[in-house]
Coordinates of all heavy atoms in Angstrom, one line a residue:
M1 N 68.7 35.8 162.0 CA 67.5 36.5 162.5 C 66.7 35.7 163.5 O 66.6 34.5 163.3 CB 66.7 37.0 161.3 CG 66.1 35.8 160.6 SD 65.8 36.0 158.8 CE 67.3 35.6 158.0
L2 N 66.1 36.3 164.4 CA 65.2 35.6 165.4 C 63.9 35.4 164.6 O 63.3 36.4 164.1 CB 65.0 36.5 166.6 CG 64.2 35.8 167.7 CD1 64.9 34.6 168.3 CD2 64.0 36.8 168.9
S3 N 63.4 34.2 164.6 CA 62.3 33.9 163.7 C 61.2 33.1 164.5 O 61.4 32.5 165.5 CB 62.7 33.0 162.6 OG 63.6 33.7 161.8
K4 N 60.0 33.3 163.9 CA 58.8 32.5 164.4 C 58.9 31.1 163.8 O 59.6 30.9 162.8 CB 57.5 33.2 163.9 CG 57.3 34.5 164.7 CD 55.9 35.1 164.3 CE 55.6 36.3 165.0 NZ 55.4 36.1 166.5
A5 N 58.2 30.2 164.4 CA 58.3 28.7 164.0 C 57.3 28.2 163.0 O 57.6 27.3 162.3 CB 58.2 27.9 165.3
Q6 N 56.1 28.8 163.0 CA 55.0 28.3 162.3 C 55.3 27.9 160.8 O 55.2 26.7 160.4 CB 53.8 29.2 162.3 CG 52.5 28.7 161.7 CD 51.8 27.7 162.6 OE1 51.5 28.0 163.7 NE2 51.5 26.5 162.0
I8 N 58.2 27.8 159.2 CA 59.4 27.0 159.0 C 59.1 25.5 159.2 O 59.5 24.7 158.5 CB 60.5 27.5 159.9 CG1 60.9 28.9 159.4 CG2 61.7 26.6 160.0 CD1 61.9 29.7 160.4
L9 N 58.3 25.3 160.3 CA 58.0 23.8 160.6 C 57.0 23.3 159.6 O 57.0 22.1 159.3 CB 57.6 23.7 162.0 CG 58.8 23.9 163.0 CD1 58.4 23.8 164.4 CD2 59.9 22.8 162.8
I19 N 63.7 20.2 160.9 CA 64.6 21.2 161.4 C 65.2 20.7 162.7 O 64.5 20.1 163.6 CB 63.8 22.5 161.8 CG1 63.1 23.0 160.5 CG2 64.7 23.6 162.3 CD1 63.9 23.4 159.3
G20 N 66.5 20.8 162.9 CA 67.2 20.3 164.1 C 66.9 21.3 165.2 O 67.0 22.5 165.1
A21 N 66.7 20.7 166.4 CA 66.5 21.5 167.6 C 67.6 21.1 168.6 O 67.6 19.9 169.0 CB 65.1 21.3 168.2
F22 N 68.5 22.0 168.9 CA 69.7 21.7 169.7 C 69.7 22.4 171.0 O 69.4 23.6 171.0 CB 70.9 22.0 168.8 CG 70.9 21.3 167.5 CD1 70.5 22.0 166.3 CD2 71.3 20.0 167.4 CE1 70.5 21.4 165.1 CE2 71.3 19.3 166.1 CZ 70.9 20.0 165.0
N23 N 70.1 21.7 172.1 CA 70.0 22.3 173.4 C 71.3 23.1 173.7 O 72.4 22.6 173.4 CB 69.8 21.2 174.5 CG 68.4 20.7 174.4 OD1 68.1 19.9 173.5 ND2 67.6 21.0 175.4
T24 N 71.1 24.2 174.5 CA 72.3 24.9 175.0 C 72.1 25.4 176.4 O 70.9 25.5 176.8 CB 72.6 26.1 174.1 OG1 73.9 26.7 174.5 CG2 71.5 27.2 174.1
A30 N 75.6 27.8 172.1 CA 74.6 28.5 171.2 C 75.3 29.0 170.0 O 74.7 28.9 168.9 CB 74.1 29.7 172.0
I33 N 75.8 26.1 167.5 CA 74.6 25.7 166.8 C 74.3 26.6 165.7 O 74.0 26.2 164.5 CB 73.4 25.7 167.8 CG1 73.7 24.6 168.9 CG2 72.1 25.4 167.1 CD1 72.8 24.7 170.2
V34 N 74.4 27.9 166.0 CA 74.0 28.9 164.9 C 75.1 28.9 163.8 O 74.8 29.1 162.6 CB 73.7 30.3 165.5 CG1 73.4 31.3 164.4 CG2 72.5 30.1 166.5
P43 N 67.6 26.9 158.5 CA 67.0 27.4 159.7 C 67.4 26.4 160.9 O 67.7 25.3 160.6 CB 65.5 27.2 159.5 CG 65.3 27.1 158.0 CD 66.6 26.4 157.5
V44 N 67.3 26.9 162.1 CA 67.7 26.1 163.2 C 66.9 26.5 164.5 O 66.4 27.6 164.5 CB 69.2 26.2 163.5 CG1 69.6 27.5 164.2 CG2 69.7 25.0 164.3
I45 N 66.7 25.5 165.4 CA 66.1 25.8 166.7 C 67.1 25.7 167.8 O 67.8 24.7 167.9 CB 64.9 24.8 166.9 CG1 63.9 25.0 165.8 CG2 64.3 25.1 168.3 CD1 62.9 23.9 165.7
V46 N 67.2 26.8 168.5 CA 68.1 26.8 169.7 C 67.2 26.7 170.9 O 66.3 27.5 171.1 CB 69.0 28.1 169.8 CG1 69.9 28.0 171.0 CG2 69.8 28.2 168.5
Q47 N 67.4 25.6 171.7 CA 66.5 25.4 172.8 C 67.1 25.3 174.1 O 68.3 24.9 174.2 CB 65.5 24.2 172.5 CG 66.2 22.9 172.3 CD 65.3 21.8 171.9 OE1 64.1 22.1 171.5 NE2 65.7 20.6 171.9
T48 N 66.4 25.7 175.1 CA 66.9 25.6 176.5 C 65.9 24.9 177.4 O 64.7 25.2 177.3 CB 67.1 27.1 177.1 OG1 65.9 27.8 177.0 CG2 68.2 27.8 176.4
S49 N 66.4 24.0 178.2 CA 65.5 23.3 179.1 C 65.3 24.2 180.4 O 66.0 25.2 180.5 CB 66.1 22.0 179.5 OG 67.3 22.3 180.2
I53 N 68.0 27.0 182.0 CA 67.6 28.4 182.4 C 68.0 28.6 183.8 O 68.4 29.7 184.2 CB 66.0 28.5 182.2 CG1 65.7 28.6 180.7 CG2 65.5 29.8 182.9 CD1 64.3 28.5 180.3
G57 N 70.4 31.5 184.1 CA 69.5 32.7 184.3 C 68.7 33.0 183.1 O 69.3 33.0 182.0
L58 N 67.4 33.2 183.2 CA 66.6 33.4 182.0 C 67.0 34.6 181.2 O 67.2 34.6 179.9 CB 65.1 33.5 182.4 CG 64.2 33.8 181.2 CD1 64.3 32.7 180.1 CD2 62.8 33.9 181.7
T59 N 67.2 35.8 181.8 CA 67.6 37.0 181.1 C 68.9 36.8 180.4 O 69.0 37.2 179.2 CB 67.7 38.2 182.1 OG1 66.6 38.1 183.0 CG2 67.6 39.5 181.3
M60 N 69.8 36.2 181.0 CA 71.2 36.0 180.4 C 71.1 35.1 179.2 O 71.5 35.4 178.1 CB 72.1 35.4 181.5 CG 73.5 35.1 181.0 SD 74.3 36.6 180.4 CE 74.6 37.5 182.0
I61 N 70.5 33.9 179.4 CA 70.6 32.9 178.3 C 69.7 33.4 177.1 O 70.0 33.2 175.9 CB 70.2 31.4 178.7 CG1 70.7 30.4 177.7 CG2 68.7 31.3 179.1 CD1 72.1 30.3 177.5
A62 N 68.5 34.0 177.4 CA 67.7 34.5 176.4 C 68.4 35.6 175.6 O 68.3 35.7 174.4 CB 66.3 35.0 176.9
G63 N 69.1 36.5 176.4 CA 69.8 37.6 175.8 C 70.9 37.1 174.9 O 71.1 37.6 173.7
V64 N 71.7 36.1 175.3 CA 72.7 35.5 174.5 C 72.2 34.9 173.2 O 72.7 35.2 172.1 CB 73.5 34.4 175.3 CG1 74.4 33.6 174.4 CG2 74.3 35.0 176.4
I65 N 71.1 34.1 173.3 CA 70.6 33.5 172.1 C 70.0 34.6 171.1 O 70.2 34.5 169.9 CB 69.5 32.5 172.5 CG1 70.1 31.3 173.3 CG2 68.8 31.9 171.2 CD1 69.1 30.4 173.9
K66 N 69.3 35.5 171.7 CA 68.7 36.6 170.9 C 69.8 37.4 170.1 O 69.6 37.6 168.9 CB 68.0 37.6 171.8 CG 66.5 37.5 171.6 CD 65.8 38.6 172.3 CE 65.2 38.1 173.6 NZ 64.6 39.2 174.4
I67 N 70.9 37.7 170.7 CA 71.9 38.5 170.1 C 72.6 37.6 169.0 O 72.7 38.0 167.8 CB 73.0 38.9 171.1 CG1 72.4 40.0 171.9 CG2 74.3 39.5 170.3 CD1 73.3 40.4 173.2
I68 N 72.8 36.3 169.3 CA 73.4 35.4 168.3 C 72.5 35.3 167.1 O 72.9 35.3 165.9 CB 73.8 34.1 168.9 CG1 74.9 34.2 170.0 CG2 74.2 33.1 167.8 CD1 75.2 33.0 170.8
A69 N 71.2 35.1 167.4 CA 70.2 35.0 166.4 C 70.1 36.2 165.5 O 70.1 36.1 164.2 CB 68.8 34.7 167.0
Q70 N 70.1 37.4 166.1 CA 69.9 38.6 165.4 C 71.1 38.9 164.5 O 71.0 39.5 163.4 CB 69.7 39.8 166.3 CG 68.3 39.9 166.8 CD 68.1 40.6 168.2 OE1 69.1 41.1 168.7 NE2 66.9 40.7 168.7
S72 N 72.8 36.6 162.9 CA 73.0 35.5 162.0 C 72.2 35.7 160.7 O 71.1 36.4 160.7 CB 72.7 34.2 162.6 OG 71.4 33.8 162.3
V74 N 70.7 33.3 159.1 CA 69.6 32.3 158.9 C 68.6 32.4 160.0 O 68.8 33.0 161.0 CB 70.2 30.8 159.0 CG1 71.3 30.6 157.8 CG2 70.9 30.6 160.3
P75 N 67.3 31.9 159.7 CA 66.3 32.0 160.8 C 66.7 31.1 162.0 O 67.0 29.9 161.9 CB 65.1 31.4 160.1 CG 65.4 31.4 158.6 CD 66.8 31.2 158.5
V76 N 66.6 31.7 163.2 CA 66.8 31.0 164.4 C 65.6 31.1 165.3 O 65.1 32.2 165.6 CB 68.0 31.6 165.2 CG1 68.2 30.9 166.5 CG2 69.3 31.6 164.3
I77 N 65.0 30.0 165.6 CA 63.8 29.9 166.5 C 64.4 29.7 167.9 O 65.2 28.8 168.2 CB 62.9 28.8 166.1 CG1 62.4 29.0 164.7 CG2 61.8 28.5 167.1 CD1 61.9 27.8 164.0
M78 N 63.9 30.5 168.9 CA 64.3 30.4 170.3 C 63.2 29.7 171.0 O 62.1 30.2 171.1 CB 64.6 31.8 170.9 CG 65.1 31.7 172.3 SD 65.9 33.2 172.9 CE 64.6 34.3 173.1
H79 N 63.5 28.5 171.5 CA 62.5 27.6 172.0 C 62.7 27.1 173.4 O 63.9 26.8 173.8 CB 62.5 26.3 171.1 CG 61.5 25.2 171.4 ND1 60.2 25.3 171.2 CD2 61.8 24.0 172.0 CE1 59.6 24.2 171.7 NE2 60.5 23.4 172.1
L80 N 61.7 27.0 174.2 CA 61.7 26.4 175.6 C 61.5 24.9 175.4 O 60.4 24.5 174.9 CB 60.7 27.0 176.5 CG 60.5 26.3 177.8 CD1 61.7 26.4 178.7 CD2 59.2 26.8 178.6
D81 N 62.4 24.1 175.9 CA 62.3 22.7 175.8 C 61.8 22.1 177.1 O 62.3 22.4 178.2 CB 63.8 22.1 175.5 CG 63.8 20.7 175.2 OD1 62.8 20.1 174.7 OD2 64.9 20.0 175.5
H82 N 60.8 21.2 177.1 CA 60.2 20.6 178.2 C 59.9 21.5 179.4 O 60.3 21.3 180.5 CB 61.2 19.5 178.8 CG 61.4 18.3 177.9 ND1 60.4 17.4 177.7 CD2 62.4 18.0 177.0 CE1 60.8 16.5 176.8 NE2 62.0 16.8 176.4
V89 N 56.8 28.7 181.4 CA 56.4 29.0 180.0 C 56.1 30.4 179.8 O 56.6 31.1 178.8 CB 55.2 28.1 179.6 CG1 54.7 28.4 178.3 CG2 55.6 26.6 179.7
R91 N 57.1 33.0 181.6 CA 58.3 33.9 181.7 C 59.1 33.8 180.4 O 59.6 34.9 180.0 CB 59.1 33.3 182.9 CG 58.6 33.8 184.3 CD 59.5 33.1 185.4 NE 60.9 33.6 185.3 CZ 61.9 32.8 185.5 NH1 61.8 31.5 185.7 NH2 63.2 33.3 185.4
C92 N 59.2 32.7 179.8 CA 59.9 32.5 178.6 C 59.3 33.3 177.4 O 59.9 34.0 176.6 CB 60.1 31.1 178.2 SG 61.3 30.2 179.2
I93 N 57.9 33.2 177.4 CA 57.2 34.0 176.3 C 57.5 35.5 176.5 O 57.8 36.2 175.6 CB 55.7 33.6 176.4 CG1 55.5 32.2 175.9 CG2 54.9 34.6 175.5 CD1 54.1 31.6 176.1
D94 N 57.4 35.9 177.8 CA 57.6 37.3 178.1 C 59.0 37.8 177.8 O 59.3 38.9 177.6 CB 57.1 37.6 179.5 CG 55.7 37.4 179.7 OD1 54.9 37.3 178.8 OD2 55.2 37.2 180.9
A95 N 59.9 36.8 177.9 CA 61.4 37.1 177.6 C 61.7 37.1 176.1 O 62.9 37.3 175.8 CB 62.2 36.1 178.4
G96 N 60.7 36.7 175.3 CA 61.0 36.8 173.8 C 61.2 35.5 173.1 O 61.5 35.5 171.9
Y97 N 60.9 34.4 173.8 CA 61.0 33.1 173.1 C 59.9 33.1 172.0 O 58.8 33.5 172.2 CB 60.7 31.9 174.1 CG 61.9 31.5 174.9 CD1 62.5 32.5 175.8 CD2 62.5 30.2 174.9 CE1 63.7 32.1 176.5 CE2 63.6 29.9 175.6 CZ 64.2 30.8 176.5 OH 65.3 30.5 177.2
T98 N 60.3 32.5 170.9 CA 59.3 32.5 169.8 C 58.5 31.2 169.7 O 57.6 31.0 168.9 CB 60.0 32.7 168.4 OG1 61.1 31.8 168.3 CG2 60.5 34.2 168.4
S99 N 58.9 30.2 170.6 CA 58.3 28.9 170.6 C 58.5 28.3 172.0 O 59.6 28.5 172.6 CB 59.0 28.0 169.5 OG 58.5 26.7 169.6
V100 N 57.5 27.6 172.5 CA 57.6 27.0 173.8 C 57.1 25.5 173.7 O 56.2 25.2 173.0 CB 56.8 27.7 174.9 CG1 57.5 29.1 175.2 CG2 55.4 27.9 174.5
M101 N 57.6 24.7 174.6 CA 57.0 23.4 174.8 C 56.4 23.3 176.2 O 57.1 23.7 177.2 CB 58.1 22.3 174.7 CG 57.6 21.0 175.0 SD 58.9 19.7 175.0 CE 57.9 18.2 175.1
G127 N 51.4 35.4 169.7 CA 52.1 34.9 168.4 C 53.2 33.9 168.6 O 54.0 33.8 167.8
V128 N 53.1 33.2 169.8 CA 54.1 32.2 170.1 C 53.6 30.8 169.8 O 52.5 30.4 170.1 CB 54.6 32.3 171.5 CG1 55.5 31.2 171.9 CG2 55.3 33.7 171.7
Y129 N 54.5 30.0 169.2 CA 54.2 28.6 168.8 C 54.2 27.6 170.0 O 55.1 27.8 170.9 CB 55.3 28.2 167.8 CG 55.1 27.0 167.0 CD1 54.4 27.0 165.8 CD2 55.8 25.8 167.3 CE1 54.3 25.9 165.0 CE2 55.6 24.6 166.5 CZ 54.9 24.7 165.4 OH 54.8 23.6 164.6
V130 N 53.4 26.6 170.0 CA 53.3 25.7 171.1 C 53.5 24.2 170.7 O 52.7 23.7 169.9 CB 52.0 25.9 171.9 CG1 52.0 24.9 173.1 CG2 51.8 27.3 172.4
E131 N 54.4 23.6 171.4 CA 54.6 22.1 171.2 C 54.2 21.5 172.6 O 54.4 22.1 173.6 CB 56.1 21.9 171.0 CG 56.5 20.4 171.1 CD 58.1 20.2 171.0 OE1 58.8 21.1 170.4 OE2 58.6 19.2 171.5
K231 N 60.6 18.4 163.4 CA 61.5 18.9 164.4 C 62.2 17.7 165.1 O 61.5 16.8 165.6 CB 60.8 19.8 165.4 CG 61.6 20.3 166.6 CD 60.8 21.3 167.5 CE 61.5 21.8 168.7 NZ 61.5 20.9 169.9

Side-chain angles (χ1 to χ4, degrees):
M1 64 207 87
L2 184 65
S3 298
K4 289 184 177 291
Q6 185 75 53
I8 291 169
L9 289 176
I19 305 298
F22 303 99
N23 289 72
T24 187
I33 296 165
V34 176
V44 76
I45 298 167
V46 179
Q47 57 187 16
T48 53
S49 64
I53 290 170
L58 177 60
T59 317
M60 179 61 70
I61 197 69
V64 165
I65 297 169
K66 252 189 255 174
I67 290 167
I68 295 171
Q70 280 157 2
S72 97
V74 298
V76 177
I77 295 159
M78 181 161 73
H79 177 76
L80 168 67
D81 187 32
H82 293 286
V89 173
R91 281 176 63 222
C92 288
I93 292 171
D94 298 343
Y97 280 60
T98 54
S99 175
V100 290
M101 174 184 191
V128 172
Y129 193 84
V130 181
E131 170 188 335
K231 173 175 179 275

